[in-house]
Amino acid sequence: ATMGVMHTPSSAGSTGTLVQVPSSGGHVPAVVYPGGPDPACICIFLPGVRGNLDVPGIGDASCELDLDRWASPSGRGSIFARLAGELASGEDMTVAPWAPRDRRSALHAKITTSTAGRPRRFRALCALMSWRASEDEIALAIACEITQGDDDDSVGARRLALAVEDACAVATHLRRTSTRGHDAGKRPPRVAFVGFGFGAAVAWAAASKLGADAVAAVVSVSGAHVETSAARTLKIDTPGCITTLDQVPKLWVHGASDTTLSPTASRAGFEIAREPKCVAFVMNGDHRLDIAREASYEPMKTFMVSTLTSEYLSSVGCDAPYGVEMGNARRAATPCTGARVLAMPAAMRGDTNVSSSAGTKPKRSFHRAAHTYDTRLMFELLKGGDVPVLGAGWVDVSRALGAGHAEAARLLMDAAIDAGRGTRGRVV
């Protein structure tokens, strides 16, 4: 049943609809962005423990607002809303919705399409969901079931299990009602889960519950890493769920200066996961990433477009499970292949010039650097270079590169996390 319709700003590239998704325990609120008549994938965005606008890019002052404010000025900083709009429409915005007002004017806030002058053929059906009940209501419901022998871990595991039910209900409903889901002989589109904080732990558990065959990708943003005995008993612990998702592309994005959930949580998930996997540390990024939106957004967008490309090619019969192969001369550079580590300068903004103590230097565009194997960029950056000036690129640490891959990954992650703690990372 439709709860109401609210239009996103015209620059968002797609119109979302606020709906109530049916589930066995009630209705789950979600903002749904249609991905065209035949979406290649379903992307479900999971908020933090507060639900609603508790998403990356939204500051503390607005994160407790209701979901129906997603298109208001208070929700303009949402990284999830921008990503959903662009993936659903196949169109890219030249100016972010969180840019200063003069840059969001009609003159500047243009939508760009593919080089052929039309949106990408591979589009996604996207849903920005919240939790079925408020945090207080869930706490009250769990409190009624608490017994004398329950501890905090048991209560937390029950809270996580309820949220997993919500995520699976939305995923199942959207797969069943998608256009392709009604076509005989075609499998429903697979699901990519993108979770923030508590929602990241929900994403891993929901993906594991649906099964790897139904999951296109999992993205953890400033994510929690739950490994309590109570969660293991319910089979929703993060390490256990990650290990069930072999061959599923996985991405962790974490602010290196996060003091709410340590970036070592993302590192722990990356280290136990099997390829394909990526981890991106945002230099100077905090938990909510609202001071480094562009730097956080770029790795997510690149990864998700690569995943969508893979899903689209597979749906039309191409043998390209993780995107376009680039021939024997060079390994495929799509970030949903192999294993990659990235340290993203928080101040990166395309190819513009930035002043530094050494003068003015041109920066390396992330879009260009993300498809390169020039590891010197990243090693120089982590040795203590001027982070806002130097560019960044995914550093390939795949097992296919030989026995040194694990050591390379360890050194890179050590340096990125040390830099976030205010120490100079050293790579030798």
Side-chain angles (χ1 to χ4, degrees):
T2 300
M3 202 171 102
V5 177
M6 293 181 64
H7 298 295
T8 56
S10 60
S11 60
S14 180
T15 299
T17 304
L18 183 59
V19 303
Q20 296 282 6
V21 178
S23 73
S24 59
H27 287 81
V28 182
V31 176
V32 177
Y33 293 72
D38 191 18
C41 181
I42 294 171
C43 297
I44 298 178
F45 297 84
L46 307 169
V49 69
R50 301 170 185 171
N52 295 314
L53 292 188
D54 186 12
V55 296
I58 299 291
D60 289 327
S62 302
C63 65
E64 294 190 13
L65 293 175
D66 291 340
L67 189 60
D68 60 7
R69 298 287 297 277
W70 97 97
S72 72
S74 299
R76 186 172 286 129
S78 172
I79 293 174
F80 280 1
R82 179 184 178 184
L83 189 55
E86 293 192 352
L87 294 178
S89 67
E91 299 173 328
D92 300 327
M93 295 163 32
T94 57
V95 176
W98 50 73
R101 184 174 299 275
D102 59 332
R103 296 192 64 220
R104 294 197 310 269
S105 66
L107 180 63
H108 295 93
K110 297 179 181 178
I111 303 296
T112 61
T113 56
S114 66
T115 54
R118 57 180 179 270
R120 288 182 295 271
R121 295 187 65 181
F122 43 92
R123 295 163 62 185
L125 170 61
C126 298
L128 308 176
M129 63 168 284
S130 185
W131 310 123
R132 183 173 45 201
S134 70
E135 190 176 359
D136 291 339
E137 290 171 333
I138 290 178
L140 180 61
I142 293 176
C144 295
E145 301 176 0
I146 293 177
T147 63
Q148 187 173 0
D150 286 335
D151 56 14
D152 290 343
D153 289 345
S154 298
V155 174
R158 291 184 193 177
R159 173 71 180 89
L160 179 59
L162 288 174
V164 172
E165 290 179 11
D166 290 353
C168 289
V170 173
T172 302
H173 176 77
L174 293 180
R175 294 190 83 205
R176 185 174 63 247
T177 57
S178 68
T179 303
R180 197 195 302 174
H182 294 294
D183 293 342
K186 279 191 174 183
R187 66 168 174 83
R190 299 201 297 172
V191 180
F193 289 103
V194 185
F196 170 67
F198 168 79
V202 177
W204 295 116
S208 179
K209 187 173 181 179
L210 281 185
D213 290 341
V215 178
V218 180
V219 179
S220 168
V221 185
S222 302
H225 191 83
V226 179
E227 47 184 342
T228 62
S229 58
R232 283 193 291 271
T233 300
L234 297 176
K235 297 183 178 180
I236 54 175
D237 62 298
T238 303
C241 293
I242 291 174
T243 56
T244 67
L245 299 172
D246 289 353
Q247 302 303 312
V248 173
K250 298 167 279 284
L251 169 66
W252 289 261
V253 178
H254 216 120
S257 300
D258 189 345
T259 57
T260 302
L261 287 171
S262 171
T264 57
S266 290
R267 175 179 184 163
F270 178 83
E271 289 181 332
I272 65 174
R274 295 186 62 84
E275 298 177 9
K277 59 182 181 177
C278 296
V279 62
F281 295 105
V282 180
M283 299 295 100
N284 302 320
D286 59 5
H287 179 64
R288 308 202 65 82
L289 299 170
D290 52 323
I291 62 171
R293 294 187 184 102
E294 289 289 342
S296 310
Y297 180 78
E298 293 290 355
M300 283 187 252
K301 175 67 179 296
T302 301
F303 178 86
M304 289 304 299
V305 169
S306 180
T307 299
L308 272 181
T309 304
S310 171
E311 292 298 300
Y312 171 74
L313 292 173
S314 298
S315 71
V316 296
C318 295
D319 184 17
Y322 303 117
V324 180
E325 295 293 335
M326 302 186 68
N328 295 329
R330 182 174 163 201
R331 285 163 42 82
T334 51
C336 64
T337 64
R340 288 174 173 77
V341 178
L342 167 71
M344 191 69 182
M348 176 171 278
R349 298 289 189 278
D351 285 319
T352 57
N353 292 335
V354 175
S355 297
S356 69
S357 58
T360 300
K361 301 179 182 179
K363 290 194 297 181
R364 185 76 174 267
S365 165
F366 175 77
H367 293 288
R368 194 184 313 149
H371 295 85
T372 184
Y373 284 93
D374 184 4
T375 58
R376 291 172 299 174
L377 277 174
M378 183 129 154
F379 278 87
E380 289 173 2
L381 181 151
L382 293 178
K383 280 180 179 176
D386 189 350
V387 172
V389 172
L390 289 177
W394 298 102
V395 175
D396 194 342
V397 292
S398 298
R399 290 179 175 85
L401 299 182
H405 81 279
E407 180 68 6
R410 184 186 68 80
L411 289 171
L412 289 167
M413 290 189 288
D414 280 348
I417 293 173
D418 285 346
R421 290 171 177 160
T423 60
R424 175 168 293 189
R426 186 183 177 191
V427 179
V428 295

